Amino acid sequence: MALSRQVLEERGFRGFVPFSLLATQLLPLDGGIYVVIRTSDAAPTFLAASTAGWRKGNNPAVSTSRLAAKWVEGAEILYIGKADAGTAADHGLRGRLRQYARHGAGGTSHHGGRYIWQLQDSAALLVAWKPAPDPRGEEDGLLAEFETLHHALPFANLRH
């Protein structure tokens, strides 16, 4: 079974909003998992530069040939991540997703999933989340399911 938006919704994922609207969402402080999906089935256009912030002096951009080699044809999910629980506003799904959005706008606080910031249509990508009592276990399970389906990790996941 494909890991489509419909399947994710049936499994309890919520949101499905662009990064630009995350600040307006009532995001949980709970730990959980999140995904970045691309609803277009058009071929991707990769940018030579990244909108993401440099981290520790390192440019987040990679070559467009590297991005093309990492692309997973037919997959809606581009990235799977997790957020640990917390009580402060900078923890849980709320904090982690806002860090991710800031990274794409030039910040440095979320280095994972950085390949999405070299997609020409990154502003149209959707983010969905699901609170979970065992974020690492849920993330590992969803990554394993994706790998079984596609024989690769999602495009922006660099390691399992």
Side-chain angles (χ1 to χ4, degrees):
M1 175 187 308
L3 288 171
S4 65
R5 176 178 175 162
Q6 179 180 346
V7 168
L8 294 169
E9 286 176 347
E10 290 168 1
R11 293 183 184 183
F13 280 85
R14 298 292 175 256
F16 298 95
V17 297
F19 279 98
S20 63
L21 294 181
L22 281 176
T24 68
Q25 301 298 302
L26 184 58
L27 296 166
L29 291 172
D30 301 324
I33 59 174
Y34 57 96
V35 295
V36 178
I37 65 171
R38 183 174 187 256
T39 58
S40 171
D41 54 7
T45 300
F46 303 114
L47 305 174
S50 175
T51 63
W54 287 43
R55 183 172 183 221
K56 298 180 182 177
N58 295 318
N59 185 345
V62 298
S63 70
T64 57
S65 61
R66 187 170 177 184
L67 295 171
K70 187 74 169 74
W71 189 253
V72 181
E73 278 301 322
E76 283 185 48
I77 293 177
L78 301 183
Y79 183 70
I80 298 169
K82 69 166 180 59
D84 294 321
T87 55
D90 63 342
H91 291 95
L93 286 163
R94 179 184 304 166
R96 194 67 176 148
L97 288 173
R98 289 183 178 164
Q99 287 173 349
Y100 199 179
R102 280 194 303 270
H103 186 234
T108 61
S109 59
H110 187 297
H111 198 60
R114 65 188 176 275
Y115 285 8
I116 71 161
W117 305 121
Q118 280 184 260
L119 287 170
Q120 184 176 44
D121 62 352
S122 64
L125 301 178
L126 302 180
V127 183
W129 56 89
K130 174 185 165 185
D134 177 16
R136 177 163 306 280
E138 292 267 349
E139 178 192 39
D140 286 346
L142 194 55
L143 284 167
E145 183 178 356
F146 187 97
E147 281 186 284
T148 297
L149 289 168
H150 298 284
H151 308 290
L153 287 171
F155 167 70
N157 284 89
L158 302 184
R159 63 184 185 278
H160 186 150

